[in-house]
């Protein structure tokens, strides 16, 4: 069974470099990721998004899927899409990436048993709890 929290606090895993670039730490060397401005703003202000990223980066099995910066970018865009209630293919089309990239991450979450955890935490953000 998946433990909800591996640490009692949210670690600093994100650093905003500028308005469309973030640095993600915790998987090998820090990875610089280009994202649209509204996504960078959302991920840097959302405690839920940071919590989910912290858990997924620390998960023994799922973290191997995040070895490439493109996979982390896809994960963040998938989280943004699900948090906004938009289908992943629409988000992918809007930002000019292949929808398969987002669906591949989603399938990985389901295979590793983390999908429900992610969706439940994102639903908490919708109600403004954490």
């Amino acid at each position: 069974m998946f433990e909800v929290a591996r640490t009692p606090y949210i670690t600093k895993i994100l650093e905003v470099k500028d308005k469309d670039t973030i640095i993600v730490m915790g998987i090998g060397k820090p990875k610089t990721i280009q994202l649209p401005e509204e996504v960078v703003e959302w991920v840097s202000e959302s405690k839920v998004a940071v919590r989910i990223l912290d858990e997924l980066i620390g998960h023994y099995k799922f973290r191997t899927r995040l070895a490439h910066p493109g996979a982390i970018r896809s994960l963040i865009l998938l989280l943004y899409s699900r948090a906004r209630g938009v289908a992943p293919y629409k988000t992918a089309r809007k930002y000019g990436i292949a929808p398969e990239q987002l669906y591949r991450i989603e399938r990985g979450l389901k295979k590793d048993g983390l999908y429900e955890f992610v969706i439940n935490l994102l639903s908490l953000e919708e109600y403004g709890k954490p």
Side-chain angles (χ1 to χ4, degrees), residues 7-52:
T7 60
Y9 54 88
I10 296 175
T11 58
K12 184 175 180 181
I13 59 167
L14 289 177
E15 182 180 315
V16 178
K17 189 173 181 181
D18 58 28
K19 64 183 180 179
D20 65 347
T21 306
I22 62 171
I23 299 173
V24 178
M25 295 162 263
I27 302 178
K29 68 178 191 175
K31 300 191 177 21
T32 303
I33 301 176
Q34 296 281 342
L35 290 165
E37 289 180 36
E38 61 269 14
V39 177
V40 170
E41 182 179 325
W42 172 78
V43 79
S44 63
E45 292 176 358
S46 171
K47 290 181 181 179
V48 171
V50 173
R51 168 78 187 275
I52 292 171

Side-chain angles (χ1 to χ4, degrees), residues 81-95:
S81 172
R82 291 297 183 197
R84 297 290 181 247
V86 177
Y89 79 91
K90 289 184 179 179
T91 301
R93 188 180 302 157
K94 179 178 179 182
Y95 298 121

Side-chain angles (χ1 to χ4, degrees), residues 2-7 13 50-59 117 121:
F2 179 72
E3 301 259 336
V4 175
R6 67 185 164 89
T7 60
I13 59 167
V50 173
R51 168 78 187 275
I52 292 171
L53 287 172
D54 183 37
E55 293 295 335
L56 295 179
I57 286 172
H59 191 267
F117 166 75
L121 273 181

Side-chain angles (χ1 to χ4, degrees), residues 67-84:
H68 190 274
I72 299 171
R73 179 178 190 251
S74 296
L75 173 62
I76 293 171
L77 286 172
L78 176 66
L79 294 176
Y80 178 76
S81 172
R82 291 297 183 197
R84 297 290 181 247

